[in-house]
Amino acid sequence: MNIEIDGLNINYRDEGEGDVVVLLHGWGSNITLFDGIFTLLTPKYRVVAPDMPGAGESDEPREVWGVDEYLDFVYKFIKKMHIERFTVLGHSFGGRVIIKMANREEMAKYIDKIILVDSAGIRPKRTLAYHVKVKSYKAGKAILSWAPVKKLFPNALEKYKKGKGSADYNSASDIMKGCLVKVVNEDLTPLLKGIDKETLLIWGENDDATPLTDAKIMEKLIPNAGLATIKNAGHYSFIDQKFVFEKILASYMQVNM
């Protein structure tokens, strides 16, 4: 299904009946990865999930967005879908949006419960090796941007950037690259203590994108949080160990498997 929000064509799913569960996917992902969750919850709940702008089949934003702009979008989407109360589940980047959502009064008052799955939001501590890598990258970029070098090797700078960037970054358009940089550089740790909703954290034990240490920080700082750890699962715990994840979610949401 499609809906227009601020001139952007947005793809979404809206299935089932009952109390509402809103699903927010991760960066570089889309709502098709939530097929299992839809199947599990729709016998009891109305489940609604948008492809975020720039993901799946939704249009890209027209300018660089940060977490706040994505939250504004979610707020408008929820209003347009006539949703008044909801439980919200977010994976990875979706969790970032939820952390801010729970700290914004006009949205927090509509939230019943929060489920964060391998959520982003805590900026990692930068090691010496990281800083050396960044300085090395900037130095290489500066050299290859120098006019005489650029004239001799016109494609070298672009190849250098692609060789140093992540897969998500390299595959993105210029606008989405800007969004990714803006999003990942914001540390939401100070907002965790402001979440006053019951919060379930579900985490892959072997998550190397948002490590289990992040989950433990969230469990400590969010006043009413509990952590469920899934063995032999990584950043996509709901796919890596689908059965175990769905057992946890079914128990929490009181649905039959």
Side-chain angles (χ1 to χ4, degrees):
M1 290 184 280
N2 290 278
I3 195 171
E4 186 177 301
I5 297 178
D6 290 342
L8 299 180
N9 187 48
I10 301 300
N11 180 55
Y12 72 97
R13 290 176 69 175
D14 182 358
E15 301 172 16
E17 296 180 357
D19 293 341
V20 179
V21 180
V22 175
L23 309 180
L24 301 179
H25 65 74
W27 195 268
S29 180
N30 59 69
I31 57 178
T32 61
L33 269 65
F34 287 145
D35 284 350
I37 298 176
F38 270 90
T39 301
L40 177 70
L41 296 182
T42 47
K44 182 177 179 179
Y45 296 96
R46 176 189 174 194
V47 183
V48 183
D51 271 337
M52 295 287 219
E57 297 178 30
S58 291
D59 291 344
E60 288 187 359
R62 297 190 180 92
E63 57 188 18
V64 172
W65 282 9
V67 183
D68 285 306
E69 288 80 10
Y70 275 100
L71 178 53
D72 290 340
F73 158 78
V74 172
Y75 183 62
K76 292 172 184 176
F77 174 79
I78 286 171
K79 286 293 185 182
K80 204 148 190 178
M81 300 302 295
H82 306 291
I83 296 170
E84 294 183 355
R85 300 285 307 179
F86 59 94
T87 292
V88 60
L89 179 154
H91 171 248
S92 194
F93 168 69
R96 278 189 188 273
V97 176
I98 292 170
I99 291 168
K100 282 215 163 185
M101 182 189 297
N103 279 269
R104 188 183 285 188
E105 185 178 355
E106 70 269 24
M107 291 201 73
K109 64 185 179 182
Y110 299 118
I111 299 173
D112 286 324
K113 293 185 290 189
I114 292 171
I115 304 166
L116 298 178
V117 181
D118 302 295
S119 176
I122 296 176
R123 188 167 59 190
K125 291 181 179 178
R126 304 306 190 185
T127 63
L128 177 60
Y130 170 84
H131 290 293
V132 169
K133 184 178 178 181
V134 170
K135 287 186 177 180
S136 173
Y137 171 75
K138 288 181 177 178
K141 186 178 172 183
I143 292 168
L144 294 173
S145 299
W146 189 37
V149 176
K150 203 169 182 180
K151 189 174 181 180
L152 286 170
F153 309 102
N155 299 320
L157 180 58
E158 196 58 34
K159 287 181 180 178
Y160 180 74
K161 286 180 180 178
K162 285 184 178 179
K164 298 295 183 180
S166 68
D168 281 345
Y169 184 83
N170 288 333
S171 63
S173 68
D174 288 343
I175 283 180
M176 296 310 295
K177 283 176 181 175
C179 291
L180 178 59
V181 170
K182 192 171 183 179
V183 162
V184 300
N185 283 327
E186 185 172 3
D187 185 13
L188 304 184
T189 306
L191 299 182
L192 296 173
K193 63 181 183 296
I195 299 175
D196 64 358
K197 307 296 179 181
E198 180 181 304
T199 303
L200 172 63
L201 307 166
I202 309 178
W203 232 267
E205 185 180 49
N206 303 323
D207 190 336
D208 58 3
T210 54
L212 187 57
T213 51
D214 288 3
K216 291 178 178 178
I217 291 170
M218 290 186 184
E219 183 185 27
K220 181 179 178 181
L221 294 180
I222 298 172
N224 188 17
L227 172 62
T229 304
I230 301 179
K231 293 184 179 298
N232 302 314
H235 188 55
Y236 288 83
S237 60
F238 63 102
I239 295 174
D240 295 341
Q241 293 292 338
K242 183 176 182 291
F243 179 78
V244 176
F245 174 86
E246 290 182 1
K247 284 284 283 184
I248 294 168
L249 186 59
S251 175
Y252 187 66
M253 298 300 291
Q254 298 181 357
V255 298
N256 296 320
M257 288 188 67

